[in-house]
Amino acid sequence: MPVELNHTIVHARSNRESAEFLARLLDLEVGTAWGPFIPVSLSNGVTLDFATIPAESITPQHYAFLIGDADFDDALRRIRAEGITYYADPHLEQPGEINHHHGGRGLYFLDPAGHGMEIITRPYGSHPVTSAE
């Protein structure tokens, strides 16, 4: 059997709030609570299990999601409609912009727990990087 990522636990101030936030922006479904977890399943079979922990115990992580061009447009519309600040860069220095790295489009935003979320339309390394990227 090949090795595949099956699930990971995402720490949150509120498991429900963070799960619903991501699901809403990426047009995913929030699953049924299982113990302390609120799951959000991705189309590649990976599940993000959101777990509530004390805010001071949360270490911000980075989660990147590869999505199609039409899904990117839809997600960007939802992000803008909700007034969520998004950035072209992971250092959060280019607000209100998207990037065009790897021949696609990408952006970054923060979830309610402070995790860095990224959506991209092309995988890293899928297109030669130029100095303009």
Side-chain angles (χ1 to χ4, degrees):
M1 172 180 247
V3 176
E4 297 179 354
L5 179 64
N6 177 265
H7 69 277
T8 191
I9 296 171
V10 181
H11 291 165
R13 292 187 314 249
S14 164
N15 58 0
R16 175 71 55 191
E17 176 189 31
S18 287
E20 289 177 353
F21 173 84
L22 183 65
R24 188 172 57 253
L25 294 182
L26 298 184
D27 195 28
L28 301 168
E29 291 189 25
V30 174
T32 303
W34 184 77
F37 306 113
I38 304 291
V40 174
S41 294
L42 307 178
S43 60
N44 63 345
V46 174
T47 301
L48 303 178
D49 291 324
F50 289 87
T52 300
I53 69 165
E56 64 273 8
S57 297
I58 296 173
T59 300
Q61 301 293 314
H62 176 82
Y63 299 91
F65 303 93
L66 178 62
I67 63 177
D69 286 307
D71 294 324
F72 185 93
D73 293 336
D74 291 341
L76 180 55
R77 270 194 292 279
R78 287 188 287 271
I79 288 167
R80 286 176 172 159
E82 291 201 23
I84 297 166
T85 303
Y86 61 93
Y87 306 83
D89 66 301
H91 303 290
L92 312 180
E93 296 174 349
Q94 299 171 13
E97 298 180 37
I98 65 170
N99 66 59
H100 296 278
H101 301 320
H102 309 281
R105 294 178 292 159
L107 63 81
Y108 301 80
F109 58 96
L110 298 177
D111 87 335
H115 296 299
M117 302 291 178
E118 177 183 11
I119 56 175
I120 55 175
T121 61
R122 300 292 178 275
Y124 285 11
S126 64
H127 184 271
V129 178
T130 66
S131 59
E133 293 185 42

